[in-house]
Amino acid sequence: MTEKFRREGDAPKGSSPSPRQPLRSLLKAHSVAGQVFVLQLALVVLLVVAGMLALVFQARGALAQEARQRSVVGAEIFAHAPGILAAMKSADPSAVLQPQAEAARKGSGVDYIVVFRPDGIRWTHPDPRLIGKRVVGGSYRPALRGRAFTSTIPSALGPAVNTVVPVVDRNRSIAGLVSVGIRVQSTDERVVEQLPLLLGFAVAALLLVTVGAVLINRRLRRQTHGLYPAEMRRMYDHHDAVLHAVREGVLIVGSDGRLLLANDEARRLLDLPDSAVADRLPVSDLGLEPRLGALLTAGGEVTDEVHLAGDRLLAVNVRPTAPYGGPSGCAVTLRDTTELRAVSGAAEVAQERLKLIYDAGLGIGTTLDVSQTSQELADVAVPRFADVVTVELLEPVLRGDEPESGSGTGLRRMAVRGVTEDSPVYQVGEVLRFPPGTPMASSLESGYPVFVDDMSTSDEWRGQDPAATRQILDVGIRSVIAVPLQARGVVLGLANFWRSAASGGFTQEDLSFAEELAARAAVSIDNARRYTREHTLAVTLQRSLLPQALPAQSALEVAHRYLPAQAGVGGDWFDVIPLPGARVALVVGDVVGHGLHAAATMGRLRTAVHNFSALDLPPDELVNHLDELVSHIDTDEARAAGGAAGEGDPADDEAAWPGVSSEADAVRPEGGRTGITGATCLYAIYDPVGGRATVARAGHPGPALIGPDGTVTFPEVPVSPPLGLGGSVPVETAELTLAEGSRLVLYTNGLVEDRDRDIDTGLELLRTALASDTERTPEQTCTAVLDAMLPEHPSDDIALLVARTRLLDPARVAEWEVPSDPAAVARIRSACLGKLESWGLEAIAFTTELILSELITNAIRYGAQPIRVRLLHDRALICEVSDGTSASPHLRRAATTDEGGRGLFLVAQFAQRWGTRYAPGGKVIWTEQALDGGGPEPGPESVDDILDQWDDVPTM
């Protein structure tokens, strides 16, 4: 049979070739060369277009960047030019700055230079009509913070790249701002100017690549001899080299049952002689298995039938050739599956192991609990890898400690899987000690896994408990792999994998897999151990920082609750602080976050509140001081973190100012320190004399108030920014008048906010929980609120404080007005003694008389009207002397030559406590004395005998 192959470009006999014929043949899409040429041409066009667009955008971006840089440089130079600050502070800044600005604008090539005041009123402008008018928009406001700011704005001259630079006075205030802009239209014009050059380069590149593509395709056409793809495929199908290169056996059998073609692989698989094809031997003479020989001559279709050929298993495929244009017969392919079966079996095992490792990664370490993690290891390994798994951990690991090397072999069994309760295997909770020489002890000591393939022939492991080990053999256990659980080079425990004889026992190949499985579990167990340690430390720290017991006071009946979040302890806290004058301060605060840092920060803030409360500051002043403290803490942390990156960072100057913070300053990974990223506080002072409460809060939820009749309200308390963010914002307070028996409820946001509900829903739930009963005690109120509102899995800490108010009996309060007359001291003193007798406090009458005499005399001598004396009969006797001045007395030791200075020393000696607090109209000097008369023994019969020793005390 003769086949003729037609090539592109072949012409009939007698015809003359045309000059355009090569080009036409090149552009024929059905030829190989034509298809490659069209494809290359399309790719070249796309690349050229993409390159042109990229160049245009790059040029435009470069010009825009140049415009931004010119704008920034121009603004910085003009803002810091000599005389600019003086001109801004002059009487007529426009007269001085307008000529300079226009000259600088024309010289630098920018579109405008505008100088204006911090409030936006222009001093200069290219259009003099706009001078004195306000700058349009608020694009300059970021520059009021002291930094240059660049943006694209719609200016009076059109869209422009605008840079605003502040001019800072010596006192760090903003004296004015300089705005320099370049119109965006000007940058677009420069881009348009460069387009012809870009287009020229693009056209040249297109022509160059097109010529190259033509040359390459002409060479390709010559190398393929102009054959069409169909003819090339048919030649490829019939070429013997391709058949011999196939890694499968290929046979072609004629319709007469004779062998027409066999490649090298077929001769190897069937062990055919070299002359089998040349002699066209019948298939029946090839020495094949009868079933295989019959299959090759049957003429039907066969797919992947497995037949024996010698010692090989062959997968046979048979297809007739006639339907596909060939002569009658069949094409046979042979594939050796002998090794494939063994490999596929090993692959299935490997795939199962990989799946088990994957499942172990998902199923082990789902919690931070060492017991649960140990059980998860056992659950994953049984029954897919072992019949029985036991896990033992060293005792220090259970406490969160890191076991020391050589700590012995005492372990506690944490997990067992694959056995029943009546099994001889030790159960969970038992303490085991493996004698030296046993596989378990050897594995712990060496840190390497130990494999025993047949325990019935090994006596080492029986030393632990011969009776129990005999029972283990009796239930069919035959092999064991003991693997140490170690992470970071530290052995945490032991995992034992057991198999019975029915499962085939372990092999050496299982050893590395068991080690890999144990290594994954060890990392999770170590993480759980470290979490246990951190959690224990955080809990210990927090318990030491929170109030251990509420102080004794009679103004409020207080109950409290604190519940940590599920993620661990956090930074919520509460406090009850007694204050002078029978008053009590209630504090609730919240520090964002959990763990040691939040707990330590909470302790710092709680200590600061105690210190500020000792100064007897009003709530607004205390919150202001606390806000300043948090700002300083954040600033110090930011400066310390910035110091790790390098000294001299300009950001250090800004971080030194309180109230200036950012997310970048809050966490500095390179410094390893973090600031207080969020803190809130509510501070209230309750005075039982008048039943008034003064409340201030910084970013904290407001209080709830339950009236004596059970009505629940949420009083309006002005809210200030969270601590550290207040800056110059003043703190406002709210004055609440509380009837006796009212309950004031303070809480943190963890009570009313959760991932499943917003704060409005939480407040309504709180209102419902508080209004359900009017006869509850504070303890019962706390319990009812938590029962109604506590989420199943709290995501934040909850601090709750419920205080029921009491009023001081008016009969236990006495107050007198004191005229500015020394002779009035005796009358006031006599009235006070009479009140003490009516209260039954004669035991402290002498010391009280001495204290009041000194304080009233000092108020008359050094103070100003109004002067008042107040006695409060509470848990202690409280004496208060107030006057209209803010000058505070100070305790000092008087020299022998001093005429005064000893009276306050006497007051400090006879009073248990004394101090000064400031009021809007002056100050109050107060003292406290024990009601039982505890203190120094009274001396002379009359106070005059003592006071006569000093000349500075007037005669009374």
Side-chain angles (χ1 to χ4, degrees):
M1 181 179 64
T2 303
E3 292 193 49
K4 295 184 179 180
F5 296 94
R6 184 167 56 88
R7 299 177 176 84
E8 56 178 332
D10 293 345
K13 294 182 179 180
S15 63
S16 59
S18 173
R20 298 182 180 179
Q21 188 173 359
L23 182 59
R24 288 198 303 268
S25 63
L26 178 63
L27 296 178
K28 289 181 179 179
H30 57 268
S31 67
V32 176
Q35 291 176 3
V36 173
F37 174 76
V38 172
L39 179 60
Q40 287 186 341
L41 186 61
L43 292 175
V44 167
V45 172
L46 290 176
L47 290 175
V48 169
V49 172
M52 289 179 58
L53 292 176
L55 290 175
V56 169
F57 286 124
Q58 182 179 5
R60 185 170 184 178
L63 293 174
Q65 183 63 24
E66 179 186 356
R68 292 175 66 90
Q69 293 176 354
R70 289 176 56 199
S71 173
V72 171
V73 170
E76 291 284 352
I77 293 176
F78 191 87
H80 297 91
I84 295 300
L85 179 61
M88 290 180 176
K89 299 171 66 175
S90 63
D92 189 2
S94 296
V96 180
L97 294 174
Q98 176 68 9
Q100 297 181 9
E102 287 301 300
R105 178 181 67 82
K106 295 176 181 178
S108 61
V110 300
D111 291 306
Y112 65 84
I113 297 178
V114 178
V115 184
F116 53 95
R117 298 189 323 211
D119 59 355
I121 302 302
R122 298 185 180 98
W123 281 327
T124 69
H125 196 276
D127 187 357
R129 294 174 299 176
L130 298 178
I131 296 176
K133 296 183 178 180
R134 186 176 298 277
V135 175
V136 178
S139 60
Y140 67 92
R141 300 186 187 279
L144 295 176
R145 301 175 183 172
R147 292 184 178 179
F149 180 75
T150 303
S151 62
T152 301
I153 63 171
S155 66
L157 301 176
V161 177
N162 179 72
T163 297
V164 182
V165 175
V167 178
V168 183
D169 202 349
R170 293 181 179 178
N171 60 358
R172 302 185 69 86
S173 62
I174 305 300
L177 300 102
V178 176
S179 175
V180 175
I182 298 177
R183 290 183 297 118
V184 176
Q185 181 181 0
S186 62
T187 61
D188 293 339
E189 293 172 355
R190 297 185 62 182
V191 171
V192 173
E193 293 174 0
Q194 297 181 13
L195 280 180
L197 180 60
L198 296 176
L199 291 174
F201 280 113
V203 171
L206 179 61
L207 291 177
L208 181 62
V209 174
T210 303
V211 171
V214 171
L215 296 177
I216 293 174
N217 281 278
R218 296 178 94 183
R219 180 176 177 84
L220 178 62
R221 185 170 58 87
R222 288 196 303 269
Q223 290 179 346
T224 58
H225 301 287
L227 292 175
Y228 291 135
E231 284 79 9
M232 293 182 64
R233 286 195 298 271
R234 292 173 64 184
M235 290 184 64
Y236 181 88
D237 293 338
H238 290 80
H239 200 281
D240 291 342
V242 175
L243 293 176
H244 294 305
V246 173
R247 292 302 301 167
E248 291 186 353
V250 178
L251 300 174
I252 296 181
V253 180
S255 57
D256 55 357
R258 293 181 178 274
L259 184 62
L260 301 179
L261 184 144
N263 67 347
D264 295 340
E265 183 69 9
R267 285 197 290 266
R268 184 185 71 83
L269 294 176
L270 299 177
D271 197 15
L272 301 177
D274 295 338
S275 60
V277 177
D279 297 343
R280 299 187 64 181
L281 296 177
V283 173
S284 58
D285 297 342
L286 297 179
L288 304 178
E289 294 290 334
R291 291 183 56 198
L292 180 58
L295 180 67
L296 298 182
T297 57
E301 290 190 8
V302 174
T303 301
D304 285 340
E305 282 194 12
V306 178
H307 292 269
L308 184 64
D311 57 350
R312 297 186 180 91
L313 289 175
L314 302 181
V316 182
N317 291 271
V318 181
R319 294 290 186 275
T321 59
Y324 304 101
S328 298
C330 62
V332 181
T333 60
L334 308 172
R335 186 172 66 256
D336 189 357
T337 63
T338 306
E339 296 180 358
L340 182 60
R341 292 245 173 151
V343 172
S344 62
E348 289 178 0
V349 174
Q351 185 177 10
E352 179 63 24
R353 295 289 171 84
L354 290 176
K355 181 65 167 56
L356 183 55
I357 289 294
Y358 174 77
D359 292 341
L362 297 179
I364 299 177
T366 59
T367 63
L368 291 173
D369 181 78
V370 292
S371 300
Q372 180 65 26
T373 304
S374 302
Q375 188 61 49
E376 289 170 349
L377 169 60
D379 294 340
V380 167
V382 176
R384 298 166 63 181
F385 177 68
D387 296 322
V388 177
V389 173
T390 60
V391 181
E392 298 86 30
L393 298 179
L394 294 169
E395 290 286 351
V397 176
L398 306 181
R399 300 189 300 268
D401 299 332
E402 185 167 335
E404 300 179 357
S405 57
S407 57
T409 56
L411 301 97
R412 183 177 297 274
R413 179 151 291 177
M414 303 303 297
V416 176
R417 180 66 188 275
V419 298
T420 58
E421 294 183 358
D422 56 351
S423 171
V425 177
Y426 293 110
Q427 298 300 315
V428 174
E430 297 189 45
V431 177
L432 308 178
R433 292 191 176 275
F434 299 106
T438 60
M440 293 74 177
S442 301
S443 178
L444 284 176
E445 293 173 1
S446 64
Y448 293 98
V450 175
F451 167 51
V452 179
D453 57 345
D454 189 355
M455 295 188 299
S456 62
T457 62
S458 176
D459 296 331
E460 293 85 357
W461 71 284
R462 301 185 184 183
Q464 177 186 359
D465 190 343
T469 54
R470 170 48 56 186
Q471 293 178 353
I472 292 176
L473 291 176
D474 293 341
V475 297
I477 300 297
R478 283 296 178 268
S479 61
V480 63
I481 298 179
V483 185
L485 298 171
Q486 53 183 345
R488 299 176 295 106
V490 177
V491 176
L492 306 174
L494 192 67
N496 302 309
F497 302 92
W498 314 74
R499 272 189 189 175
S500 64
S503 300
F506 289 110
T507 62
Q508 287 290 342
E509 288 75 14
D510 297 321
L511 195 62
S512 59
F513 178 78
E515 191 173 9
E516 172 70 17
L517 197 62
R520 289 177 176 267
V523 173
S524 299
I525 291 175
D526 186 55
N527 290 337
R529 178 195 63 81
R530 297 169 66 183
Y531 170 78
T532 301
R533 181 183 61 187
E534 296 292 338
H535 183 72
T536 302
L537 290 176
V539 169
T540 303
L541 175 62
Q542 188 188 46
R543 287 179 178 174
S544 65
L545 295 176
L546 286 174
Q548 304 301 313
L550 297 182
Q553 46 82 31
S554 57
L556 297 168
E557 180 186 354
V558 181
H560 62 87
R561 294 289 188 276
Y562 173 80
L563 296 176
Q566 191 178 33
V569 296
D572 290 15
W573 91 93
F574 62 90
D575 225 329
V576 178
I577 306 173
L579 298 177
R583 298 168 303 141
V584 178
L586 300 176
V587 190
V588 174
D590 185 4
V591 176
V592 174
H594 299 88
L596 288 175
H597 179 70
T601 302
M602 175 269 288
R604 299 168 74 179
L605 295 183
R606 180 171 177 256
T607 302
V609 170
H610 268 272
N611 292 337
F612 292 143
S613 298
L615 300 177
D616 209 351
L617 299 176
D620 52 345
E621 293 185 23
L622 186 142
V623 173
N624 267 325
H625 285 294
L626 202 60
D627 176 79
E628 185 178 358
L629 172 65
V630 173
S631 297
H632 280 298
I633 292 175
D634 282 339
T635 301
D636 292 342
E637 293 283 356
R639 185 182 293 111
E647 300 293 338
D649 192 344
D652 293 343
D653 297 335
E654 298 173 4
W657 291 93
V660 179
S661 61
S662 66
E663 293 182 1
D665 293 330
V667 179
R668 295 284 185 91
E670 66 276 7
R673 304 184 184 184
T674 58
I676 300 177
T677 57
T680 64
C681 179
L682 185 146
Y683 186 85
I685 295 179
Y686 174 69
D687 187 354
V689 176
R692 292 182 300 274
T694 306
V695 186
R697 59 179 176 137
H700 200 84
L705 180 60
I706 310 174
D709 56 351
T711 58
V712 180
T713 59
F714 293 94
E716 289 292 336
V717 178
V719 61
S720 301
L723 299 177
L725 303 177
S728 58
V729 179
V731 177
E732 300 182 47
T733 60
E735 295 284 344
L736 307 178
T737 301
L738 308 179
E740 187 170 12
S742 301
R743 283 170 288 173
L744 192 63
V745 182
L746 310 181
Y747 51 90
T748 55
N749 61 347
L751 181 67
V752 295
E753 282 187 289
D754 192 69
R755 61 171 63 95
D756 298 326
R757 68 181 180 221
D758 56 19
I759 188 170
D760 293 333
T761 304
L763 290 176
E764 284 303 318
L765 290 176
L766 178 61
R767 183 194 301 273
T768 303
L770 294 176
S772 58
D773 191 356
T774 61
E775 301 298 330
R776 289 186 184 140
T777 64
E779 283 288 341
Q780 294 171 339
T781 302
C782 289
T783 302
V785 169
L786 293 183
D787 290 343
M789 302 191 61
L790 184 63
E792 183 178 357
H793 302 288
S795 59
D796 196 4
D797 296 7
I798 296 176
L800 177 63
L801 195 66
V802 179
R804 181 154 60 185
T805 60
R806 298 169 178 162
L807 291 179
L808 191 60
D809 189 352
R812 289 175 171 258
V813 181
E815 188 172 3
W816 297 272
E817 295 283 345
V818 181
S820 298
D821 182 6
V825 175
R827 177 174 55 82
I828 299 299
R829 182 177 59 191
S830 177
C832 292
L833 292 178
K835 180 57 69 174
L836 292 180
E837 292 178 0
S838 66
W839 289 342
L841 301 179
E842 295 86 350
I844 59 174
F846 171 74
T847 56
T848 305
E849 183 181 9
L850 180 62
I851 291 171
L852 287 174
S853 298
E854 177 60 29
L855 295 182
I856 296 173
T857 302
N858 285 343
I860 294 174
R861 175 174 294 184
Y862 304 110
Q865 289 291 338
I867 301 174
R868 294 185 179 89
V869 175
R870 188 171 72 164
L871 297 181
L872 302 177
H873 183 195
D874 193 39
R875 301 174 65 90
L877 178 64
I878 302 171
C879 302
E880 296 180 348
V881 178
S882 61
D883 63 78
T885 64
S886 59
S888 176
H890 296 282
L891 183 65
R892 64 184 180 86
R893 185 175 295 277
T896 56
T897 57
D898 291 342
E899 295 183 358
R902 298 174 179 84
L904 199 57
F905 180 78
L906 284 177
V907 171
Q909 292 297 313
F910 284 102
Q912 285 188 331
R913 294 198 308 152
W914 75 279
T916 304
R917 72 172 181 268
Y918 295 94
K923 68 175 182 299
V924 177
I925 309 297
W926 58 269
T927 64
E928 287 187 6
Q929 300 168 258
L931 299 180
D932 57 2
E937 291 294 333
E941 293 294 329
S942 173
V943 69
D944 293 329
D945 296 336
I946 294 179
L947 298 179
D948 288 342
Q949 300 179 35
W950 289 277
D951 297 334
D952 57 340
V953 180
T955 302
M956 303 180 190

